[in-house]
Amino acid sequence: MDDKIRILLSEEEVAKRVKEVADEVSRDYKGKPLHLICILKGGIFFTCELAKRIDLPLTMDFMSVSSYGSGTVSSGIVKITKDLDDPIEGKDVLIVEDIIDSGNTLAYLIEVLKQRNPNSIELCTLLDKPERRVKDSVKVKYTCFTVPDQFIIGYGLDYDQIYRNLPYIGVIEQQ
Ligand code: IMP
Ligand code: MG
C-alpha cells in the first residue's frame, strides 16, 4: 500500500462528534424501545462507537446489502445479502450507515423496512455527501459530518475492501 492518505477528520474529531450525536439520540429516544440496525460492512465501526455512547437500553441487528450499478454511482437496484435476524414490528428503528451518497441504497432499504411495520424508522449517518444526492426521499435525522464530493476511506469505509480499519476519515491523494 503506497497510497498517500490525507486526513479529513482525525480520530479525536470523530470521537467528539459521535459522542454529541449519541447524546442527541439518548435524549430523543428516552423511554422508547430503540433498535439500531447496522448496515454492513461500512457501518460497523460507527455503529459500535455510537452504541457505546448511547445511554439507553437498546437492541441491535445487522443487515448487509449490495448495490448494483455501473461506475461509481449506485443504481438503486439493491440486493439484501444478509437480512435482519429479528422482526422490527412496533420497534423504533434507527438505521446506522457509514455514508449517504446518491441515497439510492437507503431509499430502497427504507421502503423494504417500512413494510415490516416498525413504530418509527429514522436514519443516522456518519457522513453525508449531499451534492451527490439523487433521491430526495431520503431524510437523514442525524448526520455526524457533511463531506465534499470526494472518495472517502477509513472508519468503516473502504476502497476495494481496504482501509476500513483506519481510525480516522481520509481521502486518497492523487499521485
Ligand atoms: P448510495 O446508494 O449512492 O447512497 O451509496 C451508498 C454506499 O456507497 C455507501 O453505503 C458506501 O458503501 C458506498 N460509498 C459511497 N461513497 C463512498 C465513499 O466516498 N467511500 C467509500 N464508500 C462509499
Ligand atoms: Mg455501505
Side-chain angles (χ1 to χ4, degrees):
M1 271 322 122
D2 48 13
D3 291 323
K4 199 166 174 304
I5 294 164
R6 179 164 55 83
I7 298 177
L8 276 186
L9 296 157
S10 70
E11 196 172 352
E12 294 72 24
E13 285 174 288
V14 178
K16 181 166 174 279
R17 182 65 188 135
V18 171
K19 170 78 170 83
E20 287 171 2
V21 171
D23 287 345
E24 257 184 80
V25 173
S26 304
R27 278 196 299 276
D28 295 350
Y29 285 86
K30 198 169 180 345
K32 292 182 180 171
L34 175 59
H35 190 61
L36 297 183
I37 293 182
C38 168
I39 308 300
L40 298 170
K41 303 170 186 154
I44 186 79
F45 290 76
F46 176 42
T47 304
C48 293
E49 295 304 315
L50 183 76
K52 284 192 286 180
R53 293 169 174 88
I54 295 175
D55 185 22
L56 292 175
L58 58 81
T59 50
M60 295 169 78
D61 207 343
F62 301 84
M63 192 166 194
S64 191
V65 294
S66 67
S67 165
Y68 295 114
S70 55
T72 54
V73 183
S74 66
S75 61
I77 304 166
V78 178
K79 186 175 165 217
I80 296 174
T81 53
K82 184 223 171 291
D83 206 340
L84 299 172
D85 289 335
D86 301 314
I88 57 171
E89 188 165 352
K91 293 177 185 170
D92 288 287
V93 169
L94 186 60
I95 300 175
V96 186
E97 245 298 26
D98 53 354
I99 187 164
I100 303 171
D101 190 42
S102 70
N104 280 329
T105 307
L106 277 164
Y108 172 85
L109 207 58
I110 287 170
E111 279 320 302
V112 168
L113 295 179
K114 274 185 179 164
Q115 314 278 316
R116 303 183 188 181
N117 299 317
N119 186 49
S120 67
I121 186 158
E122 299 286 357
L123 201 50
C124 178
T125 188
L126 176 64
L127 304 173
D128 189 3
K129 270 188 202 170
E131 283 169 57
R132 299 258 300 176
R133 194 78 87 257
V134 298
K135 281 285 188 318
D136 293 337
S137 61
V138 176
K139 301 273 180 279
V140 190
K141 185 160 186 190
Y142 307 97
T143 301
C144 289
F145 301 99
T146 298
V147 287
D149 182 10
Q150 284 178 306
F151 197 81
I152 314 283
I153 50 160
Y155 217 92
L157 293 126
D158 70 300
Y159 174 65
D160 271 354
Q161 299 303 325
I162 312 286
Y163 297 126
R164 290 191 198 278
N165 60 320
L166 296 180
Y168 51 81
I169 293 166
V171 289
I172 299 173
E173 299 264 82
Q174 298 300 328
Q175 307 267 9

